[in-house]
Structures are given as structure tokens and as C-alpha cells.
Amino acid sequence: MSTAAVELLESTPVHTGVQLPIYMDNHATTALDPRVLEAMLPYMTKIYGNSASRNHQFGWEAEQGVDKAREQIAKLIGATSKEIIFTSGATESNNLAIKGVAEMYREKGNHIITQVTEHKATLDACKRLEKNGYNVTYLPVQADGLVSVDDVAKAITDRTILVSIMYANNEIGTVNPIQAIGKLCHEKGVLFHTDAVQAVGKIPVNVLTDNIDMLSLSGHKVYGPKGVGALYVRRRNPRVQLSAQIDGGGHERGMRSGTLNVPGIVGLGEACELAMNEMESEAKRLSGLRDYMKDKFLNALDYTYVNGNMDHHLPNNLNISFVYVEGESLLMGINDIAVSSGSACTSATLEPSYVLKALGLGDDVAHSSIRFGLGRFNTREEVDYVSDKLIDTVLKLRELSPLYEMVKEGIDLEKVEWTAH
Amino acid sequence: MAYSDKVVDHYENPRNVGTLDKSSDEVGTGLVGAPECGDVMRLQIKVNPTTQVIEDAKFKTFGCGSAIASSSLATEWVKGKTVAEALAISNTEIVKELALPPVKIHCSVLAEDAIRAAIGDWKKKNNLAEQAAPQHDLVGAVN
């Protein structure tokens, strides 16, 4: 081989074709799929009518776009199009479902059941209701992150009007036993809401077979636009009624007033159709990449633990604790990669992740956790780059870690007298 | 949050990483912080028994980038100083040098604690009386 060729070979980076920075935080948000954008564009320029304008073509065309989207969304979750209420996103959907049911069924009861690992949109809506005289049960989760159906059953009283349990968790990717919880709720005559933002479009979700009465979903988690979401509200067996939280022109069957975000809705519809068509192959591809990455970590590093339950898991999620390395310092070493950490230092509150703590993980382990959210646009090359770089950084930081050294020397960290500050 | 160039430099090229023989009488070890708080620093000094000059210093830190930088800087600063001089290093000087934001001030406090704990350990081993902590405002006037 010529010298030039050797030089070229040696100077070739190990990872070719990887464009930096790499986005691997797809539980936070996803990129807009170009095909979704294409579907939306006409509704931002030519078809700008108000879908509520019933007396001219501009309105009709906009309404047609909305109707199509309603069908696309309904089809993805096994609903009918009349059961889809458009909102500004899943936070609003959760608020509408929980507060709307609480107000509407106040005569029937004042007890709501949820779980401690819900998204803040659910937890804070429940906290608001507590201030207004409602009782809320926050169920614990098991060490694997799943809620127990038995615990739900035991918590239901004759005053219970609503159970709100998320489909899949945004941090640890666990998928709850939704079908069984829904069945239980239907048997007990209690309404069942699920925040399904992380599940819809990623795994099969069907409101009929899953016995779901209300379901929140969001555009930007499924490669659609931000600022648009939907709430599925069951129309029969049982017919769910909600007290509107936004008053106005009586849009969306009176449940959510406000001129519809037509381009956003069209985008959400298109995103749902794409997700449905590609779900099976994409879930297989992503879980393959995820497992490949997980195995690389576990083979290369000791004291490394997977959080959640890999048998009931989103295909795109991996949450790992790299014990004895602090999460924020780890993120600093991989600053050309976008992931999330359970570390306190990355949050505004300086508290480590409440989800990880709910699993019974010590604060020290929670501080050491990284969430990977794989997505439609991640490649095998990117997964290699990310895992190699992460492994290098963990090894480097463990060289720096007094805890790792102490553990290697056989010191029991539990027995050390720490000076808490 | 953006880190200052100096924090990044210490994170990428930490100074004086390592371990000294903690059983030696010349070595003082300070271990401060707690794993559940997300910060643990171990700072060690090797003191010349006749001159009381800190001839070597090593650290290991579990914590965020600012915690690593604060302890790395602390080892740089104590080296070559006498024990008395090292005790005069205050967290505010570390904050200034590394341009730490308010949420990271506790990292500098921990580094100061680590210096004190290491010196305290060395004094205890050598049966020397603990010195009263210097006044922080006096130290601040040095800069």
C-alpha cells in the first residue's frame, strides 16, 4: 500500500457518515417529518379558511382537511372520528380530561386515582383538584416501573369517578397493563383516562380492546408539529361527558372552544397515518438498535443497570444508570449528543428524577442515569458513535470518581459517614 | 447551561487526578459531600513535615463539571502553599476564577471544605491543634 493510502486509512475517522450533533432525545420531542410538512404547507398558504365557516368554500376546504385528519387519528387508535377533540397538545388534553371529568361528575363522587410516575401535566392537574376538595390517590409503582392492577382495584371506592394512568412512561419507557386497568374500570363503572403521548404511533394502541374512555396524544411526539394534540373522548359504552375548560364558540362538540389550528391538525393527521403504516417495521428497527446499544453498554461497563422493565417497554427507549458517574458530568462529556439525564443538576429543581426515585432507586443512582430516546431518523452509525463516546466518557469519569475507586477496593459506600451538604 | 472556558478546560484536562497513600503521616485526606447529593470530593495533600509546605495534591471527584473543575483547581492552588496559606483559600476565589453561576456555588464550597478536611486530617495525624478558620471577608480582600 502506498504511504498516501496508509495515511488516508489512518486519518479516516472510525465513524463515517455521522453528522453532529446527534439528536437522541425523542421522548422530549421529535423532528417534523418532511412528508408531514408537505401535507401542512397548503393549509398555511392557500387553504387558510376557518374550518368553522360554514357558508363559503374557504371554510369547507379547511373543514375537509380537519375531517381527514380526524379520521387518520381515529384510525390509528381504533376510535371513530367524532370521538377526537383537538387541543393544543397533551398537557391541555390531560387537563381537559381530568378537570373536565372531575367537574362533570362531581355529584357522583370526588375521588381520583393516578400514579406517582405520571407526567407533571397529570400530577399538577390532580393537585389543583385536591385544592378544590377532591381526593386523589397517587399509587406507587413497582421496582420495574409498572403500576399494579391489584393496587388500582384496591384503591377504587364508591366515590371514585376517574382513574388516570399513563400508557407508557416518558423517562423509563415502561408500558403499563392498560388493557387490564381499563377492564377493571369498566367493571367498576369508573371512567378511565390514559396519557398515551409516548405510546401512540410507537406501539399498537386501541381504545376499544384496551377499554379506554379518554386518551391524550400529541403531534410533536410522533414527528408532527408542536402546539397540536388531541383527546379521544368515548361516545358510547359509556358516553363520556366533559365540562369544558375553555369557553367560547362551542367548537369540538362544546368541549373545547377556539378556532381550530388547521395546518397543525392536518400535520397531526398525516403524522398518525405515517406512524400507523410504518409502526411495525419501525418498532422492530428501533428495538433492534436499542438492544444493540444496551448490550454494548453492558458488555463494556460494570456497575451499569437498565431501568424499567424490558419485557413491557417502548421500542425506542433506553434508560440506564452508569453508577458512580454523575449524570451532568456525563452529558458534558458527550456534548455533541442530545440525551437526557435523571441528574438533579440538569433540572431546575435540583432534585433527581421523581420517576427514578419512585422505582426505589437511591438518589445516587438516579443522579447517574441517562435516557436515550431513539427516533425515526437515527441510524446504526449514530448509535455506534453515541455508545462508543458514552463508554469512553464513563471510563474517563470513573477514573476521576472516588466512589468507583472505593467500591473497587471493597468499601461499602452505605457504611461511609458522608457529610451531607 | 453554558460552562465557562475554564470549567471546560479543567473538565477536559483535570489536574492532579489520583490517589496518595492515605496511611502515610505526611498525607492528609479530605472526603466531603455525599453520593445522594450528587457530589463527592476526595482531596489529598502531601505535606513536608519540616516546612509545612504542601508538596503534592491529588483529587478524585464524583459530581458535575463544576464540581470536577472546583476540586481540580483546588489541587493546583494548594500545591506549593504552606498549610496556613492553603487554609486561607476561600470558595469565593474559586467562584471568581471559574466564573461559576449561582446554582454551582455549592461546588466551590465543597472544594473549600475538601481542602480544610484534608488539612484537618493531616493535623490530626501529626497531633497538631486545629487552627480557627480565617475570616471569609478578609480572604475576599486578597483579590
Side-chain angles (χ1 to χ4, degrees):
Chain A
M1 208 185 297
S2 73
T3 321
V6 172
E7 269 174 20
L8 186 69
L9 200 65
E10 282 174 352
S11 67
T12 305
V14 181
H15 302 286
T16 49
V18 174
Q19 208 177 349
L20 299 174
I22 293 170
Y23 189 76
M24 216 172 263
D25 200 15
N26 285 282
H27 298 296
T29 194
T30 57
L32 189 76
D33 191 301
R35 294 169 292 180
V36 173
L37 177 65
E38 204 175 313
M40 289 169 71
L41 281 174
Y43 292 87
M44 294 182 138
T45 51
K46 283 182 284 186
I47 313 173
Y48 53 80
N50 186 329
S51 59
S53 296
R54 293 281 151 79
N55 49 359
H56 53 65
Q57 196 179 335
F58 294 85
W60 302 330
E61 281 176 359
E63 195 187 17
Q64 275 171 12
V66 170
D67 285 347
K68 184 185 172 196
R70 235 184 262 283
E71 272 167 33
Q72 288 168 314
I73 298 159
K75 205 169 168 196
L76 176 63
I77 59 169
T80 62
S81 59
K82 282 183 179 165
E83 294 172 310
I84 304 299
I85 306 292
F86 288 114
T87 65
S88 62
T91 290
E92 190 194 333
S93 298
N94 287 346
N95 271 269
L96 174 58
I98 294 164
K99 294 174 183 170
V101 163
E103 258 182 57
M104 182 60 80
Y105 296 86
R106 183 71 181 87
E107 303 267 289
K108 193 173 169 245
N110 69 339
H111 181 229
I112 292 162
I113 297 167
T114 185
Q115 60 169 10
V116 290
T117 54
E118 290 289 320
H119 190 272
K120 287 287 180 192
T122 296
L123 295 175
D124 287 354
C126 288
K127 276 184 198 145
R128 174 70 64 108
L129 289 174
E130 279 184 297
K131 284 187 191 142
N132 296 336
Y134 291 84
N135 295 322
V136 180
T137 300
Y138 300 93
L139 293 174
V141 292
Q142 302 159 142
D144 62 1
L146 299 182
V147 75
S148 142
V149 184
D150 273 353
D151 284 353
V152 180
K154 280 181 206 144
I156 293 176
T157 71
D158 54 3
R159 301 287 291 154
T160 308
I161 50 176
L162 176 69
V163 170
S164 180
I165 298 287
M166 69 193 340
Y167 212 113
N169 186 269
N170 48 306
E171 286 192 35
I172 52 173
T174 43
V175 179
N176 269 318
I178 290 301
Q179 200 167 8
I181 297 169
K183 185 164 172 272
L184 171 76
C185 290
H186 278 186
E187 282 165 6
K188 302 269 185 180
V190 175
L191 293 176
F192 178 43
H193 165 251
T194 186
D195 173 353
V197 284
Q198 298 292 343
V200 164
K202 315 284 164 58
I203 56 174
V205 170
N206 185 300
V207 293
L208 291 180
T209 53
D210 289 341
N211 311 298
I212 295 164
D213 298 320
M214 285 162 289
L215 175 146
S216 303
L217 62 91
S218 174
H220 75 103
K221 306 285 192 193
V222 288
Y223 312 95
K226 293 169 179 64
V228 64
L231 179 67
Y232 156 79
V233 183
R234 185 182 277 271
R235 263 165 70 88
R236 57 185 69 196
N237 304 320
R239 181 184 180 86
V240 179
Q241 291 179 288
L242 293 179
S243 187
Q245 302 299 304
I246 297 177
D247 298 314
H251 306 74
E252 301 298 280
R253 291 165 53 211
M255 291 192 222
R256 203 278 191 180
S257 288
T259 296
L260 293 185
N261 167 9
V262 177
I265 287 167
V266 167
L268 172 58
E270 188 66 21
C272 284
E273 186 171 330
L274 292 172
M276 192 164 91
N277 295 340
E278 296 170 10
M279 188 189 300
E280 209 182 322
S281 58
E282 186 64 0
K284 204 183 264 177
R285 186 183 79 91
L286 289 179
S287 60
L289 285 177
R290 188 265 320 275
D291 291 342
Y292 169 71
M293 182 158 70
K294 173 178 65 103
D295 292 344
K296 275 184 82 166
F297 290 141
L298 296 180
N299 289 334
L301 300 165
D302 53 3
Y303 302 106
T304 297
Y305 309 103
V306 176
N307 297 312
N309 181 329
M310 295 311 282
D311 295 328
H312 303 276
H313 214 97
L314 290 174
N316 61 331
N317 174 277
L318 182 63
N319 189 306
I320 289 206
S321 297
F322 300 96
V323 188
Y324 312 126
V325 170
E326 196 277 328
E328 186 184 336
S329 63
L330 193 46
L331 292 189
M332 201 173 160
I334 54 165
N335 58 6
D336 51 4
I337 300 162
V339 292
S340 279
S341 163
S343 162
C345 288
T346 60
S347 75
T349 57
L350 290 179
E351 278 291 314
S353 151
Y354 66 92
V355 172
L356 295 174
K357 286 182 76 172
L359 307 184
L361 261 61
D363 280 10
D364 52 335
V365 180
H367 281 297
S368 306
S369 303
I370 300 285
R371 175 186 75 176
F372 302 87
L374 289 163
R376 187 176 286 169
F377 305 109
N378 286 128
T379 62
R380 163 77 181 256
E381 287 72 27
E382 288 180 334
V383 167
D384 269 323
Y385 180 89
V386 168
S387 45
D388 289 349
K389 181 140 189 184
L390 203 113
I391 289 165
D392 284 350
T393 309
V394 169
L395 291 173
K396 180 192 149 188
L397 289 171
R398 280 187 174 165
E399 279 299 303
L400 270 181
S401 170
L403 303 179
Y404 187 67
E405 184 188 298
M406 290 162 87
V407 166
K408 282 287 185 189
E409 282 173 0
I411 296 169
D412 183 356
L413 296 182
E414 300 281 320
K415 293 199 176 125
V416 176
E417 258 186 62
W418 299 106
T419 56
H421 56 287
Chain B
M1 185 175 42
Y3 298 94
S4 71
D5 291 345
K6 282 183 179 163
V7 169
V8 172
D9 180 41
H10 277 281
Y11 172 84
E12 282 175 357
N13 311 292
R15 332 287 201 255
N16 307 309
V17 176
T19 308
L20 297 172
D21 175 14
K22 63 172 180 257
S23 64
S24 161
D25 280 348
E26 293 176 12
V27 171
T29 300
L31 182 68
V32 295
E36 60 265 27
C37 301
D39 294 301
V40 174
M41 286 182 192
R42 190 191 63 199
L43 192 142
Q44 293 184 300
I45 51 169
K46 184 169 176 281
V47 184
N48 182 313
T50 43
T51 60
Q52 296 215 346
V53 167
I54 298 171
E55 289 179 338
D56 199 4
K58 296 277 182 203
F59 87 99
K60 281 200 177 188
T61 289
F62 163 83
C64 65
S66 303
I68 290 168
S70 294
S71 38
S72 169
L73 179 67
T75 58
E76 270 195 319
W77 278 2
V78 298
K79 260 175 132 176
K81 282 195 169 70
T82 64
V83 166
E85 285 165 347
L87 277 172
I89 294 170
S90 88
N91 81 292
T92 52
E93 294 170 88
I94 296 172
V95 171
K96 228 182 250 176
E97 173 68 15
L98 296 176
L100 296 180
V103 293
K104 295 296 183 189
I105 286 175
H106 70 276
C107 299
S108 71
V109 173
L110 206 59
E112 185 191 314
D113 289 350
I115 297 172
R116 290 181 184 286
I119 292 173
D121 180 56
W122 171 79
K123 283 188 170 173
K124 209 168 131 194
K125 275 184 183 171
N126 292 280
N127 297 315
L128 296 166
E130 280 280 350
Q131 228 171 12
Q135 295 297 308
H136 280 254
D137 52 345
L138 288 178
V139 172
V142 172
N143 271 352

